[in-house]
Amino acid sequence: MEQKVCKWYNICPIKAFFEKGKVKQELVEKYCFNKGIGCKRMDMEEKGIFEPCNMLPNGEIDENLK
Ligand code: SF4
């Protein structure tokens, strides 16, 4: 499981939100625990585009994430 974790996971705000129970497990499993494949945050990060903290890996903005 270790190598399947996204390389950004430890510094990604989604980790902290997930640990507080604010992000659904299925999203984290689909993206963060699957090498970040298809993650919009990762996509933007790698293109050097600023991504808001409250953007989920699927690109949706969740206003409850603070
Ligand atoms: S949200 Fe995206 S960038 Fe952040 S840890 Fe998950 S897969 Fe990686």
Side-chain angles (χ1 to χ4, degrees):
M1 152 121 162
E2 211 49 49
Q3 309 102 300
K4 292 196 81 187
V5 175
C6 169
K7 63 183 175 180
W8 300 106
Y9 189 63
N10 282 325
I11 56 163
C12 185
I14 296 303
K15 175 181 190 277
F17 291 137
F18 175 55
E19 288 170 355
K20 288 182 194 156
K22 293 184 168 182
V23 174
K24 284 194 196 137
Q25 173 129 6
E26 61 191 62
L27 269 182
V28 173
E29 280 176 2
K30 183 172 175 189
Y31 296 97
C32 312
F33 296 165
N34 189 32
K35 301 183 189 168
I37 294 168
C39 173
K40 292 277 186 298
R41 297 190 63 90
M42 174 122 112
D43 219 41
M44 288 170 76
E45 184 68 37
E46 299 202 334
K47 288 181 184 146
I49 305 169
F50 170 78
E51 74 278 7
C53 276
N54 60 358
M55 192 179 89
L56 294 168
N58 63 6
E60 282 172 24
I61 299 290
D62 184 341
E63 300 290 350
N64 296 316
L65 298 182
K66 293 183 182 142

